[in-house]
Amino acid sequence: MSTVDSRVSVAPRKPPRKPKPAPGSRGLSPLRVLGMAFVWLFTAVNLLVLYWLVSAAFKTPIEIFTKPFALPAHWFERGDPFRNFAYAWDNAGFGRAFLVTVVLVAVSSVVIVLVSAPAAYALTRLGARGADGMTNFVAIGMGVPFQTVVIPLFIGMAEVNLTNDLFGMFLVYVALSLPFTVFLLTGFFKSLPDELEEAAALDGASPLRTFRTIMLPLARGGLVTALILNAIGLWNETLLAIVFLNENANFTLARALFAFNSAASYQSEYGGLIAGVAIVVLPMLVLYLLLARRIITGLTLGAGK
Amino acid sequence: MPGSTDVGGRASGAHLVRKKRLFFPFFLPAVTLYVVFLVVPTLATVALGFTSWAGAGDTPEFTGFANYVELLSSDAFRYSFLNTLLYIVAGGVGTFLLAFLFTMVLRDMRGGKLIRAILFFPNIVAPVALGMFFSIVLIYRPNRQGLANHLLESVGLDAVKFLQAENVTWVVTGCLIWASSGFYITILMAAVDRIPPYLYEDADIAGATPWQKFRHVTLPLTWDVIGVAGVLWTIGAVKIFELVFVLAGPGTYSPPIRAWTLGVYVFDRSFGTQGTPEYGMACAAAVVMILLVSVLVVLLRRLMRRDTIQF
């Protein structure tokens, strides 16, 4: 296609072989068309898969496997469209798990932010020596796989009777979410202007008061993002829940889903199984539809800067 | 003692002292939790890796490097290590190739933002849920095929036993690439969006192909972001666990060792085992995980290092 030599350096312009396409009408090379087709196809498959998941949650196993793209019919005809959800809800103990998860995730996320925000503020705004080193020390925790801490942590928690205990789970969740959250919030605090802080100091506000009434409200966007990202992460967290919770009454949703998986597939209860998956996934989908931009920028923030 | 952030003026001296006094009350709660729940357990894992220990009721007994020697001769560990490496390398190459392809096309494409948002969604789905979802999509059962085989058969191809132990690692790699590509596409596209459009316009005038624009504009100007994204990928891929556990196995207990990863190995030798747990071995494998991630991250940073380009 191309007639120029392979090295296209930008600075010394070559005389164009072709006239520049008029603004708005881009030259569509076959390669580009192919690429666009692939991108759209990939996206369409993603949407199809989502449709499959949602529709299958209302189907019988036979419908799922023989008519994967048809709309659900059987349970609707029987007047019991939510049969799979009811099955999963009853058999996997999702009712209680839902409650446990909502409370645990909400309380943990709030506490994580409450502990992380002052720490991030201290690391960026209080002019402490060695703050950068300490920030790195905390940030390194993001790279530690949970598997490397989980055994001593379990032993230690068992010593103080905090295994199979929701308060213990709460402590573990808060502590292990700190590196990411502190790191995320240092970014936000760093980006705030100095002037307001200085003005408050000149007006005689104490540093604590400056933090509470000026800086914290200014960083609200960051705090809300941190709250949402932690809520998403903990909602989906499974490994630690598997290790630390072993009684149905304490199960989180993801943990209950994990236990439900083998039981339901053993009984070929694929409709119920997919409904179970949907119960875990759909709240995230709703959240995503509402807050996609905030979630995406929050999660990809660290890499872009 | 005046710090470097002294803002000048009469008030700042005393104010600065008060500010510094705030540091420890602010920083201490977080760092205490961090040290107690992350730093100390990591060190404990390193120490326990040198012991033989069956867990509660047993006392750890120092055995030096015996665990590591045993790991080297263990089939389960060899599979775990190689599979983990495969996920990191093959999964990484696949994901980044896909992401690069998307950056070439997506930059000035209509609906690009929407596409990114759609592809990003799997990243906020629980890996357990993803695994269970895939395990139903990929079921092999003549006459009642899962979605994937249904599609294969409907275009006249033979159905594939995706979840068989010898295939499952590649299949999980594929699922991993599919699920994470959106995240890396978003990161790279955010960097691409910061490149001044005139560079691409110049390239267009020079008649550059999409590949040449990618090779000589996009790649050099997003190099640093690609490096960070590579580190994020490595950190994420080294701990892959739920997806493998659910897709390759029966669910509650471990899959066949051929499909193991280091994450599965640690879990199986400690909490998931049917027989006597081997906490010492599990800790040694956990140390290997952290060594692997450290070595790869350092290597990657070395490999990607170059002078910053201003634009």
Side-chain angles (χ1 to χ4, degrees):
Chain A
M1 162 69 210
S2 153
T3 48
V4 291
D5 63 285
S6 69
R7 240 194 122 67
V8 180
S9 55
V10 176
R13 290 191 193 176
K14 297 194 165 204
R17 288 285 176 109
K18 284 179 298 183
K20 187 185 178 187
S25 77
R26 282 216 167 69
L28 284 180
S29 68
L31 202 63
R32 188 169 163 75
V33 172
L34 205 68
M36 278 172 68
F38 178 76
V39 166
W40 277 117
L41 191 71
F42 194 80
T43 312
V45 169
N46 271 36
L47 288 176
L48 189 74
V49 153
L50 195 61
Y51 161 76
W52 182 87
L53 172 72
V54 176
S55 66
F58 293 93
K59 291 179 178 176
T60 63
I62 295 179
E63 285 176 301
I64 293 171
F65 293 121
T66 55
K67 288 178 265 175
F69 298 115
L71 286 168
H74 181 81
W75 295 120
F76 280 87
E77 283 157 14
R78 295 269 296 269
D80 188 12
F82 293 101
R83 182 263 170 204
N84 289 336
F85 286 91
Y87 179 90
W89 196 267
D90 295 338
N91 286 277
F94 276 170
R96 189 176 159 83
F98 204 90
L99 197 73
V100 167
T101 310
V102 167
V103 174
L104 181 65
V105 166
V107 175
S108 305
S109 309
V110 169
V111 173
I112 290 164
V113 174
L114 284 181
V115 178
S116 301
Y121 185 75
L123 288 171
T124 47
R125 291 262 155 193
L126 294 181
R129 266 177 305 162
D132 283 347
M134 278 182 274
T135 309
N136 287 338
F137 171 65
V138 175
I140 273 183
M142 285 192 291
V144 176
F146 287 165
Q147 282 95 345
T148 46
V149 296
V150 82
I151 293 171
L153 208 51
F154 181 81
I155 305 296
M157 296 292 275
E159 285 288 307
V160 288
N161 288 323
L162 282 176
T163 52
N164 198 22
D165 180 283
L166 287 173
F167 179 69
M169 196 73 253
F170 157 80
L171 281 181
V172 171
Y173 277 168
V174 170
L176 298 191
S177 308
L178 286 175
F180 169 73
T181 315
V182 170
F183 181 72
L184 182 77
L185 290 179
T186 52
F188 278 99
F189 280 119
K190 249 185 238 161
S191 68
L192 296 180
D194 293 329
E195 288 82 2
L196 286 163
E197 209 178 10
E198 289 162 15
L202 289 176
D203 285 345
S206 70
L208 184 62
R209 191 166 155 182
T210 312
F211 171 69
R212 251 184 339 108
T213 59
I214 311 236
M215 299 311 273
L216 220 45
L218 278 179
R220 197 173 45 212
L223 301 180
V224 174
T225 301
L227 199 70
I228 294 167
L229 297 185
N230 276 305
I232 292 172
L234 295 183
W235 179 275
N236 293 332
E237 201 290 319
T238 318
L239 173 63
L240 295 169
I242 293 172
V243 171
F244 282 94
L245 305 174
N246 47 36
E247 213 169 88
N248 288 10
N250 288 332
F251 277 4
T252 60
L253 267 182
R255 176 72 182 88
L257 185 65
F258 183 79
F260 181 53
N261 179 29
S262 47
S265 39
Y266 186 68
Q267 295 172 12
S268 298
E269 234 331 312
Y270 294 103
L273 211 54
I274 294 178
V277 172
I279 291 173
V280 175
V281 174
L282 291 183
M284 289 296 103
L285 183 62
V286 171
L287 196 69
Y288 189 69
L289 291 177
L290 296 174
L291 299 164
R293 178 179 297 229
R294 191 186 275 273
I295 293 170
I296 293 175
T297 47
L299 277 176
T300 53
L301 197 68
K305 293 268 164 77
Chain B
M1 192 187 277
S4 54
T5 55
D6 198 319
V7 289
R10 301 128 299 166
S12 72
H15 188 71
L16 207 66
V17 173
R18 289 207 286 167
K19 245 171 124 174
K20 294 215 160 144
R21 219 178 281 151
L22 209 55
F23 182 82
F24 280 104
F26 269 31
F27 187 51
L28 225 50
V31 84
T32 309
L33 281 171
Y34 175 64
V35 169
V36 171
F37 283 82
L38 245 150
V39 179
V40 172
T42 304
L43 298 176
T45 296
V46 174
L48 288 171
F50 294 112
T51 66
S52 162
W53 188 28
D58 189 28
T59 32
E61 187 187 326
F62 182 79
T63 52
F65 282 92
N67 285 340
Y68 292 92
V69 174
E70 198 180 329
L71 282 183
L72 283 178
S73 63
S74 141
D75 278 343
F77 178 79
R78 204 162 39 235
Y79 280 123
S80 304
F81 187 82
L82 292 176
N83 284 340
T84 306
L85 212 56
L86 183 84
Y87 286 124
I88 299 173
V89 176
V93 169
T95 305
F96 279 84
L97 282 184
L98 199 63
F100 288 152
L101 182 73
F102 272 68
T103 59
M104 280 194 247
V105 180
L106 218 50
R107 192 177 57 81
D108 47 8
M109 185 169 158
R110 214 164 284 153
K113 285 256 157 51
L114 178 72
I115 290 177
R116 284 190 231 176
I118 292 170
L119 299 187
F120 191 87
F121 179 64
N123 286 286
I124 62 164
V125 172
V128 192
L130 273 183
M132 287 172 57
F133 160 75
F134 277 122
S135 70
I136 296 172
V137 167
L138 297 171
I139 280 181
Y140 173 89
R141 242 182 354 182
N143 301 325
R144 274 173 160 219
Q145 300 286 15
L147 180 60
N149 278 326
H150 184 91
L151 290 177
L152 282 182
E153 286 185 343
S154 69
V155 294
L157 294 169
D158 285 337
V160 181
K161 292 178 177 169
F162 289 109
L163 301 178
Q164 206 82 319
E166 62 264 29
N167 297 334
V168 77
T169 304
W170 289 105
V171 170
V172 176
T173 308
C175 298
L176 193 66
I177 294 173
W178 173 79
S180 19
S181 59
F183 182 77
Y184 294 91
I185 290 169
T186 309
I187 292 180
L188 294 186
M189 281 312 292
V192 170
D193 286 345
R194 287 199 299 269
I195 299 174
Y198 66 81
L199 291 177
Y200 289 104
E201 284 155 17
D202 277 3
D204 275 334
I205 292 167
T209 61
W211 161 251
Q212 288 168 328
K213 279 188 272 185
F214 171 75
R215 172 67 188 81
H216 298 289
V217 182
T218 310
L219 199 61
L221 295 184
T222 54
W223 190 253
D224 297 328
V225 175
I226 294 169
V228 177
V231 171
L232 288 181
W233 170 268
T234 309
I235 290 173
V238 85
K239 55 188 171 196
I240 178 169
F241 169 75
E242 290 102 325
L243 208 54
V244 175
F245 206 89
V246 172
L247 265 176
T252 35
Y253 52 94
S254 302
I257 56 171
R258 265 190 90 145
W260 280 16
T261 62
L262 289 173
V264 175
Y265 185 96
V266 172
F267 180 77
D268 182 84
R269 299 287 87 211
S270 50
F271 304 106
T273 186
Q274 308 289 73
T276 330
E278 295 173 314
Y279 280 32
M281 293 291 282
C283 285
V287 171
V288 173
M289 278 178 95
I290 208 154
L291 286 179
L292 184 64
V293 80
S294 314
V295 167
L296 289 176
V297 166
V298 169
L299 217 62
L300 204 59
R301 300 230 74 135
R302 271 279 159 81
L303 222 66
M304 301 289 292
R305 190 165 55 197
R306 55 116 213 232
D307 297 328
T308 319
I309 294 181
Q310 297 291 335
F311 62 93

